[in-house]
Amino acid sequence: VACLDLFAGSGALGFEAASRGARRVVMVENSSPAVRQLEANRDKLKADAIAILRGDALAAAQNAAQREPGCYSLVFIDPPYHQGWLEKVLPACMTLLTPSGLVYAEAEFPLDGDDAPAWMQDWEVVRADKAGMVFYHLLQRKSSARIEA
């Protein structure tokens, strides 16, 4: 399993994936201090399966979609809220994912139900719940939107 952790932050999602046997985890983080901490943690844990990229998550997702289509089984998206990141990043995930790949996405609002945003039309919410003020979702491309790699 290969995972892409966009907006890595503390790296909790990516480190957990690596600890559970992911063969490759790519973490993307824009903050230099956070990147330094991620690198220190990776080195301390000897987590050789983890690669850390400093940069913009949207650009990284778009570049990976061009270079490595169909490469990732799981993409983590836990972006800063109220900035429209999910709407911007999800289209690149269409190409990034393996045919049965999943996206784990956190948001400040639910992505399913009657109030689902229009940009969710190609995505199916496989699972969703709420913890405190955070809505978290497991997404899969709808079969009509699948892109074969």
Side-chain angles (χ1 to χ4, degrees):
V1 172
C3 302
L4 179 61
D5 186 358
L6 300 169
F7 308 96
S10 69
L13 297 171
F15 283 116
E16 183 67 20
S19 77
R20 292 178 179 256
R23 68 173 168 75
R24 179 174 173 232
V25 177
V26 177
M27 295 183 182
V28 180
E29 175 54 50
N30 204 29
S31 162
S32 293
V35 167
R36 286 192 293 276
Q37 187 61 54
L38 290 169
E39 290 170 341
N41 291 343
R42 176 195 58 199
D43 296 346
K44 183 177 182 179
L45 296 170
K46 296 179 175 65
D48 297 331
I50 295 176
I52 299 166
L53 303 175
R54 184 192 178 285
D56 177 76
L58 178 58
Q62 291 170 336
N63 289 339
Q66 289 179 340
R67 286 190 328 269
E68 308 175 288
C71 183
Y72 293 98
S73 301
L74 184 57
V75 176
F76 299 113
I77 307 173
D78 181 10
Y81 296 156
H82 309 292
Q83 296 179 28
W85 283 110
L86 281 174
E87 180 178 1
K88 296 172 196 170
V89 172
L90 276 175
C93 293
M94 282 284 178
T95 306
L96 282 170
L97 289 171
T98 62
S100 60
L102 299 169
V103 170
Y104 170 83
E106 292 188 6
E108 66 275 24
F109 53 84
L111 300 178
D112 58 353
D114 295 337
D115 295 330
W119 47 264
M120 279 294 296
Q121 68 185 5
D122 292 333
W123 295 93
E124 172 186 352
V125 177
V126 177
R127 224 179 215 170
D129 210 335
K130 182 180 178 186
M133 299 297 291
V134 177
F135 294 87
Y136 55 95
H137 313 81
L138 197 57
L139 310 175
Q140 187 171 31
R141 289 178 297 223
K142 289 183 179 173
S143 54
S144 59
R146 295 209 193 275
I147 296 172
E148 297 305 321

